[in-house]
Amino acid sequence: MSDTGIGASVKRKEDFRFLTGQGRYTDDINRPGQLYAYFVRSPHAHAKIKGINKAEAEKSPGVRAVFIGADMEADNVGSLPCGWVVTDRHGDPHKAPPHFPLARDKVRYVGDHVAVVIAETYAQAKEAGETVEVDYEELPAAATLGTALSSSAPLVHDEAPGNLCYDWVLGDEAEADAAFAKAAHITKVDLVNNRLIPNAMEPRAAIGEYDGGTDSYTLYSTSQNPHLLKLILCAFVLGLSENKLRVIAPDVGGGFGSKIFCYAEETVCTWAAKKVRAPVKWTGDRSEAFTSDAHGRDHITHAQLAMDENGKFLGMKVETTANMGAYLSSFATSIPTYLYATLLAGQYTTPVIYVNVKSAFTNTAPVDAYRGAGRPEATYVVERLVEVAAREMNIDPAEIRRRNFIKPEQFPYQTPVALQYDIGDYDASMTKALEMIDYDGFPARKAASEAKGKLRGIGFSAYIEACGIAPSAVVGSLGAGVGLWESAQVRFNATGTVSVFTGTHSHGQGHETTFSQLVADTLGLPIENVEVVHGDTGSIPMGMGTYGSRSLAVGGSAISKACDKIIEKSKKIAAHLMEASVDDVEFDKGTFRVKGTDKEKSIAEIAFTAYVPHNYPEDLEPGLDETAFYDPLNFTYPSGVHIAEVEIDPATGMTEIVDWVAVDDFGNVINPMVVEGQVHGGIAQGVGQAMLERAVYDDGGQLLTGSYMDYCMPRADNLPSFRVGMTQTACTHNPLGVKGCGEAGAIAAPAATINAITNALGILSMDMPATPEKVWRLANQHAQAAE
Amino acid sequence: MYDFNHHRPASVEDAAKALTGASDGKILAGGQTLIPTLKQRLASPSDIIDLGGIAALKGIKEEGGNIVIGAMTTHATVAGDATVKAKIPALAALADGIGDAQVRNRGTIGGSIANNDPAADYPAGLVGLGATVHTNKRDIPADDFFLGMFETALEEDEIVTVVTFPVPEKAAYAKFANPASRYAIVGVMVSSGPAGVRVAVTGAGPRALPPRRPRGGAGR
Amino acid sequence: MPSVSMTVNGRAVTGDVEGRTLLVQFLRENLSLTGTHVGCDTSQCGACVVHVNGESVKSCTMLAVQADGAEVTTIEGLAKDGELHPMQEAFRENHGLQCGFCTPGMVMSAVDLLQKNPNPDEGEIREWLEGNICRCTGYHNIVKAIQTAAASMKG
């Protein structure tokens, strides 16, 4: 392994610009003559719009235009679509009420978009916005998931009776009932997967621009998938020719799913740029992010696990109600179905699983993918069930997992919930994690804590995820409106340097480094000779963007394929130059050699020849520039075991995470430093969910946690340093043998944390987040019970 | 934020004049509460009178057995001051726990007490240590200064100049912070000194208060 | 309209601002120093941290007029003669950043920590960072970077 090749912790190429203040985020971009947009938003969770008087706003200083829903309707602007059709238990598609970028007759959540004011300065737009008079007739709100599906709940959409988006099932209920009938023990849990607000540190922003000379648009946007945004805006919303919109997603300050979706603000900025004949810039503030970024999670679940007398799992039944919010965000419907229910087998051989998911409309912000997207919710169900089962059956929590793990020789393994796992070694991860945490030493550590008046607990989470999203044919058969392949273009420049164009998008993941390593290693080039370009639909082949831990597994595989094509073509040129048969030319570390001779040509010489083809094969095109599209054959299945150890002060309810061991199997690893960083960040978000974060709406639909004063973000002093280990089973079906690492921490951590805290408290269950108040109450209840 | 007229007087007298002359004037000290309030458009003063140019309001000294702290002294200065650390370490610790490092570099004792946020630390510190608030007009014992939520004894054109703290024999401050905002859910200052045992609680009511029956009996 | 003069990254600058103009707006909009970011509106996230007269402050919670006559250092002014500051170097070396958005404020805050406490332990570093929120790194590598910088700045 070279110090910059595959497997090396190469320092990141992107860091210099970020560390010196030279990153270029959307709000850092200013276009000549640009105007500023301010959105007038609904203060009500549910109301009829009886009238809008914008006359005073239009006369305000600096204001160029004020637009409302009727203006967009007049231009035939469509609804923001949901790109995944879920078919319900009766064979009908999910309810898909329209979602207009500016509300037309009704507002349906606090923060819903009512009007946009466009002015010469942002302050002018905002001040004028306060003078837009909206005549609302307030309506009762269905703000709470727990009651949204009841017959007495106010109706969010006339198109969705009972607020039901779909009632969906997976698995055979009768088979599950039969398995439960044979059970020696049944464990039951009731779980709330708390609603979260993604909170990427860079708020969303957009600049729409229109060029009258070519009748074309440019949109700068904080997007994780600029091509997808372009496709949705052109084909579904604005009715533009796709060759007339260029979307640029420059440096993006974190996404975690929330920047996948097509939002109202960027739609309005693009549309309005033509109306006002000037670039229109909108930069969200944090308050707007809280109310109108798509939120995550928000499930209520009742789950049961049937076991024989040895704790062998016989069957599982899960009933979940999931919140869609007021409108369907771009992929909302797929999250609590295909990205959730299909993961409920976990790492175990549970032979029968039956899942019923009902998704509900509520008068709250839309809910969609947030780091992990369905898989953290599934892992929380499985790993809470297993932990409670272990406690009820009095079996060691590591042991009950081991008894039920899928064994290495059982792969490929078909689960009862549609997925076929290709490879894994769950016991290896468990063994390594137990060693790292010194499981045998736990009783002594617990006793030492007790001597200090503290309660110590240990918690496990053995997770699996389906990543590398995804095989197009599979997701298509399940209702996805897009294919989920990825593209790459590898372009040699004449002087031997390489530009790599990827359809994935980096917003913190370090693609510029990892992909450079991959290309430099494959083509035998110095890493500094490779440049990775992403985020501009004007220069990159159509690609699907970054989410679902797919960038390396799918995008990296496309790069690998493109490199193969480069080598294949180069061999022909090399054979010509060295007057040998192509079959006799070998390639290794950047050099082509004729077998059994000392003839050789560097790949840089070949590139030069390809662009200056004076002496060149007759039947070959000049140039060395190859594009590849890669459609994965299966999902990838990263897995692992996380173990958390906590110490609780029963006097204050304060919980300290005193140790955290993460052992993950991500398959082959290109850059361990980057991978470990992804694990750290994921754990922090998972611990945030377990201990700190919770989005709360009151019964009237007002968001009570609308700023960092009330929504608790993980800070440095909430977290420990993490200990990260790896095991490896290479993915069997992509050329790199990689699986994906971006979401693992967020998937594993909530269950590990709650299992540790409940272990410390000597109880079976508690709801997230485990705040000091809740822990204090439980600790003291526990103390009383122990007396 | 709505716009306003900005004044940067060089003396307390000029500041008082500017305040009297404004239709709806507001004093700007460190600004760590006022500026966020203005940004959220929760206040729209006509005039901002910025005390940042008045050197006389800054600094810490020991005088007549008391610790005297200028109104524009930052929390970081109080937290790091050798005299405060030696004489009233509880007060240094209190200041060191306000907000975050950057808030402590800008926020001031005068601004904090004049704002009298029910979850702020300093009010409990002043009451619990038996401090006296000095203004451009008079001296006000801490017990009489904090009237209610965001309400103090300060008159319209009255400006806090210094706060004096008697040196206790011993004192301690402890708080339980809101995990999100990091403001005190509850904070308690306990001191024992010439005036007896004093206890003051912040966060648990509309203003910093001694509890009804402090243990040890002496009360205020 | 008030006029302000200050020294930013060693350069004397003057500009007309409104009373309400925040220091961060002056830096980003008047001076095009866009390395300083805005991540929240409640003075909590710390993406906007710069140094004013040598101390870290939140430039979103300070008026430009309050910085009149001050020495201001932003992330753009930290590297000298093309050489990264040891703190910047340590963040790079330890992968203390991912998306880069919180990074300028994080680095400026960390530099101030070491001015005040050249040998912080892990707990002191974590406590100091209360005013800087990072959503990407889980802070693990930020803490490591600050420890590395402390060691290299002593050496």
Side-chain angles (χ1 to χ4, degrees), chain A residues 126-127 130 652 654 708-712 715 717-718 772, chain B residues 1-3 39-41 176-183:
Chain A
K126 191 168 180 178
E127 263 150 48
E130 290 183 355
T652 61
M654 291 296 286
Y708 292 150
M709 296 296 281
D710 300 298
Y711 186 89
C712 189
R715 315 290 224 290
D717 60 3
N718 295 122
Chain B
M1 200 185 310
Y2 300 101
D3 206 11
K39 282 162 66 177
Q40 300 282 329
R41 302 190 160 202
F176 194 94
N178 177 310
S181 70
R182 302 292 178 103
Y183 272 87

Side-chain angles (χ1 to χ4, degrees), chain A residues 272-578:
Chain A
K274 182 176 181 181
K275 304 290 280 187
V276 299
R277 297 280 168 158
V280 176
K281 179 174 187 173
W282 170 77
T283 303
D285 60 28
R286 182 57 56 188
S287 301
E288 291 180 291
F290 270 102
T291 56
S292 64
D293 285 4
H295 295 182
R297 317 284 193 257
D298 208 353
H299 288 193
I300 298 172
T301 293
H302 176 68
Q304 306 178 64
L305 180 64
M307 284 157 283
D308 71 11
E309 62 282 3
N310 298 315
K312 185 84 183 160
F313 306 156
L314 303 176
M316 186 188 286
K317 289 199 278 193
V318 179
E319 293 164 49
T320 292
T321 309
N323 204 339
M324 295 284 103
Y327 304 101
L328 295 179
S329 174
S330 306
F331 293 100
T333 51
S334 65
I335 311 303
T337 49
Y338 295 108
L339 292 178
Y340 164 72
T342 53
L343 273 301
L344 287 168
Q347 301 186 351
Y348 310 111
T349 54
T350 317
V352 187
I353 299 174
Y354 174 72
V355 195
N356 176 209
V357 179
K358 294 187 179 79
S359 281
F361 290 105
T362 60
N363 291 113
T364 64
V367 180
D368 205 326
Y370 166 62
R371 198 172 195 166
R375 291 150 291 165
E377 296 92 314
T379 298
Y380 191 64
V381 170
V382 174
E383 290 302 286
R384 284 296 298 132
L385 263 179
V386 169
E387 193 79 21
V388 172
R391 290 176 197 170
E392 288 177 347
M393 303 275 287
N394 206 19
I395 303 173
D396 177 89
E399 173 57 26
I400 198 170
R401 288 176 167 90
R402 286 185 145 147
R403 280 183 203 172
N404 288 283
F405 278 158
I406 299 161
K407 304 285 181 290
E409 61 274 14
Q410 289 178 279
F411 293 100
Y413 184 84
Q414 179 64 50
T415 75
V417 276
L419 298 177
Q420 191 186 69
Y421 301 163
D422 63 330
I423 195 166
D425 186 347
Y426 308 140
D427 205 64
S429 295
M430 177 61 88
T431 301
K432 186 161 183 177
L434 291 173
E435 273 170 28
M436 284 175 70
I437 201 86
D438 180 21
Y439 190 51
D440 294 340
F442 178 72
R445 295 195 295 276
K446 188 175 174 70
S449 295
E450 260 167 36
K452 295 185 294 177
K454 303 278 181 73
L455 306 171
R456 200 176 186 104
I458 192 164
F460 292 77
S461 181
Y463 74 94
I464 191 158
E465 46 173 333
C467 292
I469 290 175
S472 298
V474 173
V475 296
S477 72
L478 301 178
V482 291
L484 289 171
W485 44 266
E486 195 44 80
S487 69
Q489 184 181 5
V490 175
R491 177 189 298 164
F492 257 100
N493 302 305
T495 50
T497 59
V498 170
S499 302
V500 180
F501 301 85
T502 172
T504 65
H505 185 277
S506 182
H507 27 279
Q509 296 89 339
H511 295 170
E512 289 167 43
T513 306
T514 304
F515 291 170
S516 292
Q517 271 178 271
L518 170 59
V519 171
D521 194 280
T522 309
L523 299 179
L525 297 167
I527 193 166
E528 55 275 16
N529 284 5
V530 183
E531 197 67 29
V532 173
V533 182
H534 63 88
D536 182 352
T537 65
S539 58
I540 293 159
M542 173 80 176
M544 299 312 288
T546 286
Y547 38 81
S549 303
R550 70 189 301 275
S551 293
L552 184 60
V554 191
S557 292
I559 292 174
S560 172
K561 295 273 185 197
C563 287
D564 290 347
K565 290 187 182 178
I566 289 276
I567 293 167
E568 194 185 337
K569 181 169 180 181
S570 296
K571 271 187 182 170
K572 293 179 187 163
I573 302 168
H576 177 86
L577 291 179
M578 296 188 287

Side-chain angles (χ1 to χ4, degrees), chain B residues 141-165:
Chain B
D143 287 356
D144 302 329
F145 182 82
F146 302 104
L147 299 184
M149 198 181 286
F150 298 108
E151 194 190 344
T152 67
L154 289 172
E155 292 164 11
E156 296 260 311
D157 56 347
E158 194 170 12
I159 297 168
V160 175
T161 53
V162 295
V163 183
T164 57
F165 292 87

Side-chain angles (χ1 to χ4, degrees), chain B residues 88-114:
Chain B
I88 323 180
L91 184 61
L94 177 149
D96 199 36
I98 300 173
D100 55 50
Q102 288 72 39
V103 166
R104 291 193 289 276
N105 279 341
R106 292 292 302 167
T108 64
I109 186 169
S112 172
I113 64 171

Side-chain angles (χ1 to χ4, degrees), chain A residues 124-166:
Chain A
Q124 287 171 333
K126 191 168 180 178
E127 263 150 48
E130 290 183 355
T131 69
V132 173
E133 290 171 31
V134 185
D135 184 7
Y136 291 109
E137 179 189 329
E138 272 191 77
L139 299 169
T144 309
L145 178 61
T147 54
L149 294 175
S150 77
S151 57
S152 58
L155 212 53
V156 181
H157 295 279
D158 295 339
E159 298 89 339
N163 293 323
L164 186 67
C165 179
Y166 53 75

